[in-house]
Amino acid sequence: MANLAFLGLGIMGTPMARNLLRAGHRVALWSHGTEKARKLASKEPNAVFAETPRAAAAEADCIFLCVGTSEMSELVLTGPGGVIEGARPGTVVADASTVAPTTSRAIGQRLAERGIHFLDAPCTGSKPGAEGATLTFMVGGDEAVFDRVRPFFEPMGKQFYYCGGPGMGLEAKLTQNLTLANMMLAFNEGMVLATRAGVEPSLMVEILSNSAARSGLLAFKAPYVLKRDFGTNFSTKWMAKDVGMALDSAREKGVPLPLTGVTFQMFQAAIAEGYGDEDMCSTIKVLEDWAGVKVAQKS
Amino acid sequence: MANLAFLGLGIMGTPMARNLLRAGHRVALWSHGTEKARKLASKEPNAVFAETPRAAAAEADCIFLCVGTSEMSELVLTGPGGVIEGARPGTVVADASTVAPTTSRAIGQRLAERGIHFLDAPCTGSKPGAEGATLTFMVGGDEAVFDRVRPFFEPMGKQFYYCGGPGMGLEAKLTQNLTLANMMLAFNEGMVLATRAGVEPSLMVEILSNSAARSGLLAFKAPYVLKRDFGTNFSTKWMAKDVGMALDSAREKGVPLPLTGVTFQMFQAAIAEGYGDEDMCSTIKVLEDWAGVKVAQKS
């Protein structure tokens, strides 16, 4: 069993850290404000509470991180009291946060100057995937480094894709979310048009589900929309953040993405209408308001 | 066994008519220019060649139609020498063409004035579905009329959805194609960005295929794109036609569809670049040219 650390204990981080602990690893825990780390450490025998990222890093062979923004990742890893001040040379830092590839590459470079290895390792699978240890990880960085720490990933996930050099895990992750966001809007526009035309929404979902338009997204989201349940699995505002980062990445590379540009604006419209904290399928309500219909199953 | 007619013998109509013939029905055949009808009739013992739609309609209890445009459908059914001049009152006309719902409703009304029943019955499943009798039909019109002729649909397809009154089969079909077109563009934008970022295209497809972004479209089209095979299953120009009709329908209803508007323009761009007759997955080449990459598997 190894000495690990887990930094950031939100909706994703808490169950991920718990799965590492239950696999028998000793895990130093830190969270923003320290309260969540203190609480989890008090319940788990293998856990050690850490006051700062620096303290959490001190004895760890591998440090995992799962925070909400590029800024937070930068602060926790390279800021004052950060991992960079505590980690020994040879330690591996694996950042499971979805952050900008550019920021991630810059962090990796600063850590490398101290002899600390860095992997970008964003994951997908939402809260149920984190709890059930069925996450998919997309990893960028040095392949030999990943091979060495891969056993520590295994208690948290099911699929592990090595995607290439620094930032490549994030490029793959942003692409996946960009694709999902566009598919969400494709669903919204089709369903609102059909409903406005008078096709019964449940029938339209059934027709789509039995055609080439069937998808994981359709199977997951359509029942929630038909039931008018916009409780959050993945929020509109977090998806907007990821689509925004994908567009930034495309802009840096000079790649025009007309569809994704419109999708981003529709997510912004949904946030402006107050749906930012609801599930991303709430974006359909913007179109519903325009069309004067609701995509609901017959009651 | 019944007296039927089949009008329009293109990529879809020919195998559909053949399946009706092989189910033992007597089928009067007509095609634009008459050549294809003459040829198929010479090969099939239950077939009867008809010089005009009027002649084909004369003895038929149920008349199927599969042509390429709204104008063609109007001409064949209600033009000079058309079905309206030959069909007896009580005959059922089922139009399997994908045409504008507005045109279809107008045709139905003109036929109704002569006591001829009309169903809009567009289908999906492309050429393999027509050949293998696995098409999905979406039907609009009088439900009792559909129930009566449903046995004649069965040799041609596998799934039959009654969608509501006149034009509702077409509304469902246009919605399905609009959704597919948007999903195609979602795939294109994601794959071009990932490829430009340096993610290996086959790996990106594998990651998408194991995520919520998996879809029937992805499974069908991604292998063709990776192999750079743009041979036509469903052409860019036909999909553009259908998306255009969906946008017309949305416009009549006052429903704004921002994403679909962009998708339509990207299909127009692909046609302008000369990809109109290639498969609709050739739309990716517009983005590839902009980004200076090709979404190809490693050779």
Side-chain angles (χ1 to χ4, degrees):
Chain A
M1 294 302 103
N3 277 324
L4 307 177
F6 205 105
L7 316 178
L9 297 170
I11 291 180
M12 298 296 286
T14 300
M16 288 163 81
R18 197 185 289 126
N19 285 329
L20 286 176
L21 286 159
R22 300 208 172 153
H25 295 298
R26 179 182 174 283
V27 186
L29 300 174
W30 173 86
S31 65
H32 185 64
T34 73
E35 195 190 333
K36 285 174 182 164
R38 223 182 276 272
K39 196 171 145 197
L40 185 58
S42 73
K43 286 194 235 163
E44 295 284 339
N46 295 326
V48 182
F49 168 73
E51 227 20 278
T52 58
R54 174 178 52 200
E59 292 180 42
D61 300 315
C62 182
I63 299 160
F64 288 98
L65 182 76
C66 193
V67 297
T69 63
S70 298
E71 294 70 28
M72 194 68 185
S73 176
E74 210 162 14
L75 192 68
V76 169
L77 293 175
T78 61
V83 164
I84 200 164
E85 296 178 355
R88 293 158 299 169
T91 302
V92 178
V93 174
D95 190 352
S97 322
T98 299
V99 299
T102 314
T103 308
S104 179
R105 287 187 187 109
I107 291 170
Q109 217 140 20
R110 287 198 54 194
L111 294 175
E113 288 161 13
R114 306 285 185 101
I116 303 163
H117 303 293
F118 184 68
L119 301 169
D120 54 296
C123 58
T124 180
S126 300
K127 194 181 159 191
E131 288 171 347
T134 58
L135 293 171
T136 295
F137 286 88
M138 287 150 273
V139 181
D142 186 314
E143 192 165 12
V145 169
F146 174 55
D147 288 343
R148 212 165 81 211
V149 297
R150 190 180 154 129
F152 307 142
F153 279 84
E154 276 165 5
M156 300 187 289
K158 213 170 63 174
Q159 285 176 308
F160 310 92
Y161 293 107
Y162 176 73
C163 298
M168 298 308 282
L170 285 163
E171 301 281 7
K173 169 71 195 280
L174 292 180
T175 294
Q176 193 197 309
N177 275 8
L178 168 160
T179 306
L180 280 170
N182 284 330
M183 287 170 72
M184 188 77 248
L185 261 286
F187 169 85
N188 292 350
E189 295 203 353
M191 288 303 301
V192 167
L193 177 60
T195 302
R196 176 66 182 74
V199 181
E200 210 279 298
S202 306
L203 174 65
M204 195 64 237
V205 168
E206 192 187 334
I207 292 172
L208 293 175
S209 302
N210 286 300
S211 79
R214 71 185 176 277
S215 73
L217 184 88
L218 179 74
F220 187 26
K221 297 296 182 189
Y224 284 105
V225 172
L226 291 175
K227 281 182 294 182
R228 313 304 292 167
D229 174 358
F230 299 106
T232 306
N233 281 292
F234 188 54
S235 74
T236 300
K237 83 179 173 207
W238 287 115
M239 185 51 114
K241 185 200 81 161
D242 288 1
V243 175
M245 286 194 292
L247 286 171
D248 289 342
S249 169
R251 184 176 177 173
E252 284 160 22
K253 296 168 178 67
V255 179
L257 299 178
L259 200 77
T260 309
V262 171
T263 290
F264 182 68
Q265 298 305 327
M266 291 302 290
F267 271 78
Q268 295 296 99
I271 292 169
E273 294 203 6
Y275 310 138
D277 289 317
E278 297 187 19
D279 190 78
M280 67 153 171
C281 64
S282 65
T283 48
I284 199 170
K285 292 194 272 185
V286 177
L287 281 163
E288 288 179 338
D289 290 348
W290 288 343
V293 293
K294 278 200 197 313
V295 177
Q297 66 200 8
K298 268 191 273 190
S299 52
Chain B
M1 294 299 106
N3 276 324
L4 306 177
F6 205 105
L7 317 177
L9 298 170
I11 290 179
M12 298 296 286
T14 301
M16 289 163 81
R18 196 184 289 124
N19 286 329
L20 287 176
L21 286 159
R22 302 210 172 151
H25 296 298
R26 179 182 174 281
V27 185
L29 300 174
W30 173 86
S31 65
H32 184 64
T34 74
E35 194 190 334
K36 285 175 182 165
R38 221 182 279 272
K39 195 171 147 199
L40 185 57
S42 74
K43 285 194 234 161
E44 296 284 338
N46 295 325
V48 183
F49 167 73
E51 211 45 81
T52 59
R54 175 178 50 203
E59 291 180 44
D61 300 315
C62 182
I63 299 159
F64 288 98
L65 182 76
C66 194
V67 297
T69 63
S70 299
E71 295 67 30
M72 195 68 186
S73 175
E74 210 162 13
L75 191 69
V76 169
L77 293 176
T78 61
V83 165
I84 201 165
E85 296 177 357
R88 292 156 300 167
T91 302
V92 178
V93 175
D95 191 352
S97 322
T98 299
V99 299
T102 314
T103 308
S104 178
R105 288 187 186 109
I107 290 170
Q109 217 139 21
R110 286 198 56 194
L111 293 175
E113 288 161 13
R114 306 284 184 103
I116 303 163
H117 302 294
F118 184 69
L119 300 169
D120 55 296
C123 58
T124 179
S126 299
K127 193 180 160 194
E131 287 171 349
T134 58
L135 293 171
T136 295
F137 286 88
M138 287 150 274
V139 180
D142 186 316
E143 192 166 10
V145 168
F146 174 54
D147 287 343
R148 211 166 81 211
V149 297
R150 190 180 155 130
F152 307 142
F153 280 84
E154 276 164 6
M156 299 187 289
K158 213 170 63 172
Q159 285 176 309
F160 310 92
Y161 293 107
Y162 176 74
C163 297
M168 299 308 282
L170 285 163
E171 301 281 8
K173 168 71 194 280
L174 292 181
T175 293
Q176 193 197 308
N177 275 7
L178 168 161
T179 306
L180 280 171
N182 284 329
M183 287 170 72
M184 188 76 248
L185 262 285
F187 169 85
N188 292 351
E189 295 203 353
M191 288 303 301
V192 167
L193 176 60
T195 303
R196 176 66 181 74
V199 181
E200 210 277 299
S202 306
L203 174 65
M204 195 65 237
V205 167
E206 191 186 334
I207 292 173
L208 293 175
S209 302
N210 285 300
S211 80
R214 70 185 177 276
S215 73
L217 184 87
L218 179 74
F220 187 27
K221 298 297 182 189
Y224 285 105
V225 172
L226 292 174
K227 281 181 295 183
R228 313 304 293 168
D229 174 357
F230 299 106
T232 306
N233 282 290
F234 188 54
S235 74
T236 300
K237 82 176 174 211
W238 287 114
M239 184 51 114
K241 185 202 81 162
D242 288 1
V243 175
M245 286 195 290
L247 286 172
D248 289 342
S249 169
R251 184 176 178 172
E252 284 160 23
K253 296 167 179 67
V255 178
L257 298 179
L259 200 77
T260 310
V262 172
T263 290
F264 182 67
Q265 297 306 328
M266 290 302 290
F267 271 79
Q268 294 297 99
I271 293 169
E273 294 203 5
Y275 310 137
D277 289 317
E278 296 188 20
D279 189 79
M280 66 153 172
C281 64
S282 65
T283 48
I284 200 169
K285 291 194 274 186
V286 177
L287 281 163
E288 288 178 338
D289 289 348
W290 288 343
V293 293
K294 278 200 198 311
V295 178
Q297 66 199 7
K298 267 190 276 190
S299 52

